[in-house]
Amino acid sequence: MMSLAVAGKALWVVLIVAWYLLRRPFDRRARRAKLTVDRRKGADTLRLAISLTGLGIIPAVYVATGRPGFASYTPSPVLFTLGVLTGIAALLLFRLTHKALGQMWSVSLQLKQDHKLITTGIYTRLRHPMYTAFWFMALTQALLLPNYIAGLSGLAGFGFLFFSRIGAEEQMMEEAFGEEYRQYRARTWRVLPLVY
């Protein structure tokens, strides 16, 4: 019988592969669109690298090697079950967000030619459901990988990206859409309904 630690690692790999497969077609389409605003260079590239380290590189090293072994702990069935549920929620939100954004999606602080403010679908109540999906994915990593460093690195890495980028992103949207964005911001939550 597979141990919970091995099952958690295997499920983390499955979720990462699913995450990539969901994003791939949108990424290919988004790369073909002409940009009118591109703030990816510099600070945003660093933010993305730090997030990738926490959500991808550190946990991948742990899954492949079991290192750092000193930070491992006995897995819990309760945490594993919660990890499965948050992983499903992450993938569902990720899919709904990409579907709503279509060609307006970008991995960075960018605006496309003829960019439209998306306020329908999952964006009706949340301004940044993509970030919600990433928070759920980082939480899933913490719940599935019984290692204090590998498990929590996703929350730290993505947390750095989120808190250092969200203000700049909202400012960019306000500059691009003015009053339309201010009204949208006034009637929506940033990431979680009734929380933030």
Side-chain angles (χ1 to χ4, degrees), residues 5 10 31 55 96 164:
R31 289 176 191 265
L55 281 170
L96 291 173
S164 64

Side-chain angles (χ1 to χ4, degrees), residues 23 94 97-98 101 105 123 128-135 158:
R23 174 164 274 182
F94 199 61
T97 302
H98 277 86
L101 284 175
W105 173 78
Y123 284 86
H128 303 284
M130 183 77 70
Y131 289 143
T132 310
F134 270 95
W135 278 119
F158 178 70

Side-chain angles (χ1 to χ4, degrees), residues 8-40:
K9 289 178 180 181
L11 187 54
W12 180 83
V13 170
V14 167
L15 289 170
I16 292 299
V17 170
W19 194 265
Y20 172 79
L21 292 175
L22 283 172
R23 174 164 274 182
R24 179 114 174 101
F26 294 96
D27 187 41
R28 283 192 313 199
R29 271 183 268 157
R31 289 176 191 265
R32 291 193 295 258
K34 292 186 179 182
L35 301 176
T36 58
V37 174
D38 187 2
R39 298 181 184 167
R40 182 171 185 163

Side-chain angles (χ1 to χ4, degrees), residues 125-126 188-196:
R125 298 274 181 237
L126 294 177
T188 55
W189 296 94
R190 247 185 185 171
V191 177
L192 284 175
L194 307 175
V195 178
Y196 181 66

Side-chain angles (χ1 to χ4, degrees), residues 6 19 48 60 74 81 88 134 144 185 191:
V6 173
W19 194 265
L48 288 165
T74 303
T81 303
I88 292 168
F134 270 95
L144 291 180
R185 185 174 58 209
V191 177

Side-chain angles (χ1 to χ4, degrees), residues 61 67 149:
V61 167
R67 294 199 169 116
I149 293 174

Side-chain angles (χ1 to χ4, degrees), residues 97-116:
T97 302
H98 277 86
K99 185 177 179 187
L101 284 175
Q103 286 192 313
M104 300 301 111
W105 173 78
S106 168
V107 75
S108 191
L109 298 178
Q110 299 170 328
L111 294 174
K112 314 292 172 132
Q113 188 174 6
D114 301 320
H115 203 102
K116 293 174 181 56

